[in-house]
């Protein structure tokens, strides 16, 4: 992966243009949904996650989602509306992932929800969700299928432990970049074709040298800028506080391999063949969110949204 030198002035201009576009699109939606709350989120999958969660808690409010196209744009919209007395910010709620940089430079606000994990994806990858998916989508709901569920859960835990151990340096490098405010290349491109999951194996082709050479947009990530951060990084829960998209992709890849095995005449993991239509690559976010544990902080945040729009909450 090549690194390109960036122009700080051009980047600032691009960011300003993005803010303007987000604000204009928001105002267009606001004009069409004057009686609704607006839930500003980072992307399309966030819409699926928060819509499903909101339906599960059954809160009596009317709302529309606004896809801001990234965390920076969500926080920029909050800043822009906070500085405008006529922006109607009291009828907007903002949802962002914690990542490794929390709210960045934005102030805490009762109008902003930040995930307790790195991202919402982390909340969808655990034994509880896996067992529900096996019982429902994988048809492991007949007498004797407990054996299959136990075998898959054991395999999942074994592979997840390997996956987390082998992506430790990758996550530490990302953490370092965020704390040091170093600009990175696209993190999904960084790992493209470098991670694969087989029926009983995880293959990760990410060397420390490759990460150091390719993670930054400009230059190389040297150990000298990382060493003093390792103690704080080590306090983070790998499954909850490391980059969620990596863990989530591992999970969906694992389920895709299991689906293939489930459809074989002589499965390797399962006791019997079963027909299923579930696609872990396209159906997962909604299916996982429907059965995952809802963080208490998210329940409380949604409960704090008044069903009567005449009641407002100060953004400060």
């Amino acid at each position: 992966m090549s690194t390109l030198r960036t122009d700080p002035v051009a980047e600032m201009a691009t960011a300003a243009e993005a803010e303007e576009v987000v604000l204009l699109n928001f105002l267009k939606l606001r004009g069409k949904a004057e009686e609704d709350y607006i839930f500003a989120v980072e992307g399309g999958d966030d819409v699926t996650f928060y819509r499903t969660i909101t339906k599960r808690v059954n809160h009596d409010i009317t709302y529309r989602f606004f896809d801001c196209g990234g965390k920076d744009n969500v926080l920029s919209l909050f800043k822009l509306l906070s500085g405008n007395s006529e922006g109607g910010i009291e009828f907007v709620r903002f949802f962002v992932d914690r990542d490794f940089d929390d709210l960045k430079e934005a102030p805490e606000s009762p109008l902003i929800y930040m995930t307790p994990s790195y991202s919402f994806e982390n909340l969808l990858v655990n034994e509880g969700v896996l067992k529900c998916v096996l019982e429902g989508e994988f048809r492991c709901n007949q007498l004797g299928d407990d054996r299959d569920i136990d075998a898959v859960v054991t395999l999942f835990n074994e592979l997840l432990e390997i996956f987390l151990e082998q992506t430790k340096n990758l996550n530490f490098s990302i953490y370092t970049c965020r704390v040091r405010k170093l600009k990175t290349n696209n993190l999904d491109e960084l790992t493209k074709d470098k991670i694969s999951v087989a029926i009983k194996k995880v293959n990760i082709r990410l060397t420390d040298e490759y990460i150091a050479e390719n993670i930054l947009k400009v230059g190389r990530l040297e150990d000298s800028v990382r060493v003093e951060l390792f103690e704080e990084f080590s306090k983070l829960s790998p499954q909850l506080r490391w980059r969620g998209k990596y863990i989530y992709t591992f999970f969906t890849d694992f389920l895709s391999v299991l689906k293939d095995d489930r459809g074989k005449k002589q499965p390797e993991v399962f006791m019997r063949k079963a027909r299923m239509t579930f696609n872990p690559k396209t159906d997962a976010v909604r299916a996982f969110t429907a059965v995952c544990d809802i963080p208490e902080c998210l329940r409380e945040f949604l409960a704090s949204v008044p069903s009567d729009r005449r009641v407002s909450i100060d953004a400060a």
Side-chain angles (χ1 to χ4, degrees), residues 50-188:
Y50 287 109
R51 183 184 300 280
T52 305
I53 292 293
T54 303
K55 287 183 177 180
R56 284 181 61 189
V57 300
N58 197 30
H59 190 37
D60 187 23
I61 54 175
T62 57
Y63 55 90
R64 297 277 296 273
F65 279 95
F66 178 61
D67 180 350
C68 293
K71 179 178 180 177
D72 287 345
N73 289 337
V74 176
L75 296 177
S76 293
L77 181 62
F78 172 79
K79 179 181 177 181
L80 291 169
L81 295 180
S82 296
N84 185 344
S85 60
E86 298 182 359
I89 191 173
E90 65 270 27
F91 304 123
V92 185
R93 295 297 181 271
F94 305 83
F95 298 80
V96 295
D97 291 335
R98 178 180 294 275
D99 300 326
F100 285 136
D101 50 17
D102 294 7
L103 292 178
K104 298 190 172 184
E105 298 177 358
E108 292 187 5
S109 167
L111 304 185
I112 300 177
Y113 176 76
M114 181 173 65
T115 58
S117 51
Y118 182 101
S119 65
F120 79 83
E121 285 96 338
N122 299 72
L123 303 173
L124 306 181
V125 183
N126 54 61
E127 279 190 28
V129 171
L130 176 58
K131 289 179 179 179
C132 289
V133 171
L134 290 173
E135 290 176 358
E137 309 301 338
F138 278 74
R139 308 292 190 260
C140 294
N141 46 35
Q142 296 185 15
L143 186 65
D145 283 346
D146 286 349
R147 176 267 171 203
D148 282 351
I149 293 176
D150 291 342
V152 170
V153 168
T154 298
L155 181 60
F156 163 74
N157 285 326
E158 291 173 353
L159 293 182
L160 179 60
E161 183 177 357
I162 295 171
F163 174 82
L164 293 173
E165 180 59 33
Q166 293 188 9
T167 56
K168 185 174 186 177
N169 182 52
L170 173 62
N171 277 281
F172 179 41
S173 298
I174 298 170
Y175 175 83
T176 299
C177 292
R178 294 296 180 258
V179 172
R180 299 297 192 198
K181 294 181 169 52
L182 303 173
K183 292 188 178 297
T184 62
N185 283 309
N186 183 289
L187 295 178
D188 293 324

Side-chain angles (χ1 to χ4, degrees), residues 7-21 73:
D7 181 347
V9 175
E11 286 189 348
M12 290 176 63
T14 301
E17 290 174 4
E19 288 182 2
E20 183 177 352
V21 170
N73 289 337

Side-chain angles (χ1 to χ4, degrees), residues 102-301:
D102 294 7
L103 292 178
K104 298 190 172 184
E105 298 177 358
E108 292 187 5
S109 167
L111 304 185
I112 300 177
Y113 176 76
M114 181 173 65
T115 58
S117 51
Y118 182 101
S119 65
F120 79 83
E121 285 96 338
N122 299 72
L123 303 173
L124 306 181
V125 183
N126 54 61
E127 279 190 28
V129 171
L130 176 58
K131 289 179 179 179
C132 289
V133 171
L134 290 173
E135 290 176 358
E137 309 301 338
F138 278 74
R139 308 292 190 260
C140 294
N141 46 35
Q142 296 185 15
L143 186 65
D145 283 346
D146 286 349
R147 176 267 171 203
D148 282 351
I149 293 176
D150 291 342
V152 170
V153 168
T154 298
L155 181 60
F156 163 74
N157 285 326
E158 291 173 353
L159 293 182
L160 179 60
E161 183 177 357
I162 295 171
F163 174 82
L164 293 173
E165 180 59 33
Q166 293 188 9
T167 56
K168 185 174 186 177
N169 182 52
L170 173 62
N171 277 281
F172 179 41
S173 298
I174 298 170
Y175 175 83
T176 299
C177 292
R178 294 296 180 258
V179 172
R180 299 297 192 198
K181 294 181 169 52
L182 303 173
K183 292 188 178 297
T184 62
N185 283 309
N186 183 289
L187 295 178
D188 293 324
E189 288 294 321
L190 182 69
T191 59
K192 187 176 181 181
D193 300 325
K194 299 292 184 181
I195 301 174
S196 59
V197 180
I199 193 68
K200 294 183 179 180
K201 183 180 179 180
V202 178
N203 187 17
I204 299 179
R205 301 171 296 281
L206 286 167
T207 65
D208 293 352
E209 179 67 18
Y210 171 84
I211 295 169
E213 287 287 351
N214 292 282
I215 192 169
L216 293 180
K217 277 194 173 183
V218 178
R220 171 189 168 90
L221 184 63
E222 302 292 349
D223 286 341
S224 58
V225 303
R226 307 193 320 155
V227 61
E228 64 187 53
L229 298 176
F230 188 72
E231 183 177 353
E232 286 302 312
F233 171 77
S234 298
K235 296 176 182 178
L236 303 178
S237 163
Q239 193 166 341
L240 287 176
R241 289 300 316 277
W242 290 6
R243 191 168 190 262
K245 284 188 178 179
Y246 291 154
I247 298 173
Y248 178 83
T249 300
F250 156 79
F251 192 39
T252 55
D253 285 349
F254 173 69
L255 290 174
S256 295
V257 170
L258 286 179
K259 178 185 177 182
D260 291 341
D261 186 66
R262 187 65 158 153
K264 294 178 179 178
K265 290 183 178 180
Q266 294 182 322
E268 185 176 348
V269 177
F270 297 94
M271 292 291 290
R272 61 181 175 84
K273 176 181 178 179
R275 186 177 180 180
M276 50 183 291
T277 58
F278 174 67
N279 186 338
K281 295 297 186 181
T282 59
D283 305 333
V285 173
R286 183 173 287 104
F288 296 170
T289 307
V291 297
C292 75
D293 290 334
I294 303 174
E296 190 59 33
C297 57
L298 181 51
R299 288 184 182 274
E300 292 174 356
F301 182 82

